[in-house]
Amino acid sequence: WHLVRALPFTIDDKIIKWFGTNTDIDEQKQLQRQKDDFLGIASHELKTPVTSIKAYAQVLGAMLTREGEHKKAEMVLRMDAQVNRLTNLIGDLLDVTKINSGRLQFNKSWFDFNETVLETVQDLQHTTQKHQLIQNFSQTGSIYSDKDRISQVITNLITNAIKYSPHTDKIIVSTRRENNEAIVCVQDFGIGIPEDKKDLVFEQFYRVSGNKQHTFPGLGLGLYISSEIIKREGGRMWVNSVEGKGSTFCFALPVDETNS
Ligand code: ADP
């Protein structure tokens, strides 16, 4: 390609452009690969020390509690919570590199969809005192999928609902069966998403910008990872939202009639 590019062209302009475009795409692909490789290596290297810090923090916290040093134990607990955040960020970076290089693997089995949603909701209710996660479930049936990955997606939607509704406390998690699909929706009454940004939120590293949004931490990867997981599991994900009123994120997965 470089040879072609270096030639003093006198031929048809269209052909020159055509060659040029291919070279650019080649270079872009290579750059993207290098970026993905770097992200993969960096996040992998970060994972080991962070795991070790977490283990020490937990041992230290338990020791301090045993010794009656409650104030110090409380500080270590906060350290542990921050380490968890770091672990989740690194996990997201690793997932993105896996998705982009086609190495995201699924460990599939049959499981009851509602049960998994319920478990995830209960786990997350423990992490928030302010928000109330209201369950509105109806029968969905069993699905054949990766339970941990599906739970990861539900977790992401609920933690977003919590994060982006700082002034309201109600979050509704509902499930339903429609034709051959199990559907779950997470509705919040928070800041909402502007109409023209709704489709963009599923893109990697995309975050809605604006004065209000600057105060929310994040990398803009959760929804990209979630929608890719759902897509690869044969489902679909969408959002309904009104700016200033709230958002409803949903996804649907196929249900096998013979197993439900
Ligand atoms: P992050 O939350 O780390 O920025 P996500 O990929 O989960 O990354 O979300 C991308 C963007 O979509 C967010 O930055 C935010 O602007 C918007 N968003 C996601 N969920 C909600 C929600 N429940 N309410 C309002 N905006 C949301």
Side-chain angles (χ1 to χ4, degrees), residues 156 160-161 163-164 188 191-193 201 206-208 213 217-224 247 249:
N156 181 245
N160 273 353
K163 180 162 78 173
Y164 295 104
D188 68 60
I191 63 168
I193 301 166
V201 296
Y206 183 82
R207 310 197 70 215
V208 176
Q213 272 87 354
L219 288 178
L221 291 177
L223 287 177
Y224 170 69
S247 313
F249 279 87

Side-chain angles (χ1 to χ4, degrees), residues 15-211:
I15 295 173
I16 297 174
K17 276 187 186 144
W18 188 75
F19 281 134
T21 308
N22 267 292
T23 312
D24 290 348
I25 290 171
D26 258 12
E27 281 173 5
Q28 262 176 28
K29 272 191 183 159
Q30 174 132 6
L31 255 162
Q32 183 63 39
R33 243 196 318 271
Q34 281 174 350
K35 207 175 83 185
D36 285 342
D37 284 352
F38 169 75
L39 267 184
I41 293 166
S43 35
H44 189 78
E45 287 302 313
L46 285 168
K47 209 175 151 180
T48 319
V50 169
T51 311
S52 162
I53 294 170
K54 180 162 181 66
Y56 281 115
Q58 281 180 338
V59 174
L60 186 60
M63 273 168 68
L64 289 169
T65 308
R66 251 199 325 270
E67 289 163 11
E69 300 269 16
H70 296 297
K71 263 210 172 121
K72 288 180 188 164
E74 171 70 20
M75 284 165 81
V76 174
L77 209 68
R78 285 189 194 177
M79 261 169 65
D80 188 51
Q82 294 303 317
V83 172
N84 285 344
R85 276 187 62 192
L86 206 52
T87 309
N88 289 338
L89 288 175
I90 294 167
D92 278 357
L93 287 172
L94 277 171
D95 280 350
V96 165
T97 53
K98 280 185 203 153
I99 289 168
N100 292 349
S101 60
R103 284 184 294 110
L104 190 72
Q105 283 175 352
F106 292 99
N107 192 0
K108 292 191 181 212
S109 63
W110 283 105
F111 61 88
D112 186 84
F113 189 64
N114 271 9
E115 234 168 67
T116 303
V117 180
L118 179 66
E119 276 167 25
T120 316
V121 168
Q122 284 173 341
D123 280 353
L124 288 168
Q125 185 63 76
H126 289 130
T127 67
T128 170
Q129 267 141 32
K130 181 180 159 70
H131 290 86
Q132 200 199 345
L133 305 178
I134 298 161
Q135 297 156 25
N136 182 10
F137 293 0
S138 54
Q139 259 317 313
T140 50
S142 296
I143 60 167
Y144 185 68
S145 190
D146 185 321
K147 192 175 164 175
D148 290 341
R149 288 287 179 193
I150 297 308
S151 179
Q152 176 185 351
V153 175
I154 302 163
T155 300
N156 181 245
L157 297 186
I158 297 176
T159 46
N160 273 353
I162 293 172
K163 180 162 78 173
Y164 295 104
S165 58
H167 304 301
T168 53
D169 53 11
K170 197 163 78 168
I171 289 164
I172 304 171
V173 182
S174 53
T175 62
R176 64 179 193 273
R177 166 88 169 253
E178 249 175 48
N179 303 319
N180 287 344
E181 286 182 321
I183 301 174
V184 61
C185 292
V186 178
Q187 181 177 16
D188 68 60
F189 302 87
I191 63 168
I193 301 166
E195 182 62 31
D196 59 329
K197 304 288 188 315
K198 268 182 353 197
D199 292 333
L200 298 173
V201 296
F202 297 105
E203 287 180 10
Q204 61 177 314
F205 296 115
Y206 183 82
R207 310 197 70 215
V208 176
S209 58
N211 289 338

